[in-house]
Amino acid sequence: MATSWGSILQDEKQLEELAQQAIDRALAEGVVLRPAESPSSSQVVTYAPFTLFPSPVPSALLEQAYAVQMDFNMLVDAVSQNSAFLEQTLSSTIKKDDYTARLFDIYKQVLKEGIAQTVFLGLNRSDYMFQCSADGSKALKQIEINTISASFGGLASRTPAVHRHVLNVLKKTKEAAKILSNNPSKGLALGIAKAWELYGSANAVVLLIAQEKERNIFDQRAIENELLDRNIHVIRRKFEDVSERGSLDQNRRLFMDGQEVAVVYFRDGYMPSQYNSQNWEARLLLERSCAAKCPDIATQLAGTKKVQQELSRVGLLEELLPGQPEAVARLRATFAGLYSLDMGEEGDQAIAEALAAPNHFVLKPQREGGGNNLYGEEMVQALEQLKDSEERASYILMEKIEPEPFGNCLLRPGSPARVVQCISELGIFGVYVRQGTTLVMNKHVGHLLRTKATEHADGGVAAGVAVLDNPYPV
């Protein structure tokens, strides 16, 4: 997948000059993070790591990823409404994975009491890599779907201008024009606004559940600002604030500091380390309320790796999406090989295959946030320890995707501009809103390309491994 700026990657002096221009433009556009030293303050900011050039992405695969996103929205929504499927699928996982078990406990409690919310909001991001076959052909393969706190929709809206600028500086105006406009934050805000409107209380606010130390605040502010432009007010609070000052009235309407809440938007609560007993209590309070949660607890469970693995079983998509063979075919075409590690013959066989050919597999726990997966020798050691233990049921095995590497220059604060071999991961943002049983919105709202050096196996931008990028359609 050659591009017309390959020769520039060889010229170190030109790269340094270009990198400085790109960084200045990124800061001017608001492609910014708080620095690691002061994650609670915006007094000093730095640029978010990004590639000097846009990276090649096959046009057909980009189109395919967009085309299947509304199917993934419907699938996640269907799974979240199917309590029998969730219970059966997660039954072995919750025995050994305490975090998933805690989420599931809240889910059972809310089901028992009766779900109070009538408006359901999904903001997700489905992530893919491009599998490269021996004959050079490429296929779109899903890595995972993020159903909680799917990030970088704000910063991804700001990066196209930076890459256009770099190519314009090089007098490559035709190429600059090929960089797609992209504004996920606007689309994500549209979903929140729709849920807020259907909630039906003009004075109600959107409650954004935030972390105290949030380097990625500008990504979140992009969505907040879009909502404010529609005269919808957002209040930022931590789980601790909810447990201290949040309450439900007799109709289970949620109030925070005396203000009624229409929509709860989680940008925290997706990893075990983000919960203590106070935070679990706060999460339960939020779930019991009639505010639209993004996501509600069932939708967070629908995004677990175990659910992803079960969905690849023969006949399951047909059960969940009856009478929709085209959607099923589009979804299934993106599935990589996924294998259960539940106790029994099937799990034993999967482990034996992975130990025999460790470079073809990835071991995944039920975790979000990047940096959790195990590869190669680490995976072999983990499987040797796990293979006779029931704890193995809290993991899944996945076929390792092998994309074709390409050269690009990764720009990071404090690091010199250097050209490395890279691979990319493409995310498509999806938004859906359901009222009762009626889907009132279902759309794709933009993309995110993240690129990392081939030496880094796992991890996203927030985990400090991947950098922001834009697809250059080829």
Side-chain angles (χ1 to χ4, degrees):
M1 293 195 286
T3 48
S4 66
W5 46 86
S7 59
I8 298 155
L9 293 172
Q10 266 75 61
D11 185 335
E12 265 180 51
K13 188 168 180 295
Q14 192 179 7
L15 271 186
E16 272 303 336
E17 283 174 20
L18 205 52
Q20 207 40 64
Q21 287 224 35
I23 289 164
D24 288 346
R25 185 64 191 253
L27 288 162
E29 290 293 336
V31 184
V32 289
L33 293 172
R34 289 171 171 172
E37 305 76 62
S38 53
S40 306
S41 159
S42 301
Q43 291 296 321
V44 178
V45 299
T46 183
Y47 64 91
F50 66 101
T51 57
L52 182 54
F53 295 103
S55 293
V57 169
S59 303
L61 300 190
L62 185 61
E63 284 168 30
Q64 183 190 354
Y66 266 105
V68 74
Q69 185 55 43
M70 286 154 74
D71 304 320
F72 270 115
N73 292 346
M74 283 195 314
L75 180 61
V76 169
D77 189 43
V79 170
S80 76
Q81 295 174 77
N82 193 323
S83 56
F85 171 74
L86 280 174
E87 190 152 347
Q88 189 183 351
T89 298
L90 296 171
S91 59
S92 55
T93 307
I94 58 179
K95 284 186 193 135
K96 291 294 164 192
D97 188 88
D98 186 49
Y99 170 64
T100 310
R102 293 293 294 263
L103 293 170
F104 197 79
D105 280 346
I106 292 178
Y107 173 59
K108 293 295 284 182
Q109 248 171 292
V110 172
L111 275 186
K112 191 176 173 188
E113 186 180 14
I115 295 169
Q117 76 184 85
T118 55
V119 179
F120 296 83
L121 167 63
L123 305 181
N124 62 56
R125 196 188 69 228
S126 184
D127 292 338
Y128 306 90
M129 281 180 143
F130 313 117
Q131 173 75 291
C132 186
S133 308
D135 64 1
S137 65
K138 303 201 171 54
L140 186 77
K141 292 296 166 192
Q142 189 188 47
I143 303 300
E144 63 179 354
I145 190 154
N146 302 280
T147 61
I148 180 167
S149 189
S151 59
F152 291 108
L155 297 192
S157 310
R158 310 277 189 271
T159 55
V162 181
H163 280 147
R164 286 188 195 121
H165 178 82
V166 167
L167 295 177
N168 283 328
V169 167
L170 294 170
K171 300 183 177 156
K172 294 186 179 292
T173 47
K174 273 215 311 272
E175 287 86 342
K178 283 183 74 176
I179 293 173
L180 306 164
S181 291
N182 185 36
N183 197 348
S185 51
K186 188 171 188 165
L188 296 169
L190 203 71
I192 295 173
K194 187 68 181 170
W196 176 87
E197 177 198 317
L198 292 172
Y199 181 85
S201 175
N203 296 320
V205 296
V206 172
L207 168 61
L208 189 151
I209 300 293
Q211 300 182 41
E212 181 156 11
K213 296 177 174 172
E214 183 53 85
R215 293 189 63 200
N216 199 21
I217 187 149
F218 304 101
D219 184 56
Q220 301 172 10
R221 292 288 193 205
I223 297 170
E224 291 176 52
N225 297 343
E226 290 279 356
L227 289 166
L228 196 56
D229 288 347
R230 294 183 165 78
N231 210 15
I232 297 170
H233 289 258
V234 179
I235 58 171
R236 297 177 66 89
R237 297 290 185 273
K238 304 189 299 288
F239 276 126
E240 288 78 0
D241 302 321
V242 173
S243 93
E244 285 160 19
R245 305 191 306 279
S247 62
L248 305 185
D249 72 2
Q250 69 276 21
N251 298 318
R252 287 203 269 167
R253 288 186 305 173
L254 174 64
F255 289 84
M256 184 68 222
D257 293 327
Q259 300 181 85
E260 186 175 359
V261 175
V263 178
V264 179
Y265 175 34
F266 289 99
R267 293 296 294 252
D268 191 10
Y270 51 86
M271 295 199 294
S273 59
Q274 294 164 340
Y275 287 94
N276 54 28
S277 59
Q278 192 183 19
N279 295 12
W280 282 118
E281 279 169 33
R283 182 71 193 263
L284 176 61
L285 180 86
L286 297 170
E287 287 302 325
R288 291 182 57 230
S289 78
C290 59
K293 269 78 67 183
C294 178
D296 63 302
I297 201 103
T299 304
Q300 184 173 351
L301 291 169
T304 53
K305 306 292 184 289
K306 183 64 189 173
V307 166
Q308 181 189 9
Q309 174 257 305
E310 280 298 306
L311 290 174
S312 69
R313 284 194 191 277
V314 177
L316 241 157
L317 291 181
E318 288 82 353
E319 270 177 52
L320 289 160
L321 299 173
Q324 301 187 59
E326 293 91 352
V328 166
R330 284 190 296 266
L331 289 162
R332 193 161 280 140
T334 68
F335 287 176
L338 293 150
Y339 310 95
S340 168
L341 294 185
D342 286 358
M343 298 305 279
E345 199 179 329
E346 184 189 7
D348 291 346
Q349 190 183 342
I351 289 172
E353 284 180 27
L355 289 173
N359 292 338
H360 295 166
F361 295 90
V362 184
L363 185 64
K364 293 187 162 192
Q366 312 299 316
R367 295 287 175 270
E368 298 303 324
N372 304 299
N373 300 334
L374 297 174
Y375 301 78
E377 191 47 47
E378 273 189 307
M379 180 189 76
V380 169
Q381 285 173 1
L383 285 176
E384 291 289 4
Q385 280 179 329
L386 287 168
K387 65 181 183 186
D388 299 319
S389 156
E390 288 190 0
E391 200 189 321
R392 75 188 206 187
S394 62
Y395 292 80
I396 66 159
L397 263 179
M398 184 172 172
E399 164 197 3
K400 190 177 175 206
I401 310 303
E402 300 285 359
E404 180 182 24
F406 54 88
N408 206 332
C409 180
L410 308 184
L411 304 180
R412 276 202 180 84
S415 299
R418 63 185 190 107
V419 177
V420 288
Q421 286 296 295
C422 302
I423 53 175
S424 294
E425 190 167 319
L426 172 71
I428 305 290
F429 290 97
V431 175
Y432 64 87
V433 179
R434 173 165 52 82
Q435 187 171 31
T437 54
T438 310
L439 212 54
V440 289
M441 181 186 283
N442 181 13
K443 50 186 7 177
H444 50 67
V445 298
H447 56 264
L448 167 70
L449 193 71
R450 291 167 302 169
T451 293
K452 57 190 170 190
T454 49
E455 71 234 38
H456 292 297
D458 188 26
V461 180
V465 172
V467 308
L468 298 169
D469 199 350
N470 279 289
Y472 184 78
V474 292

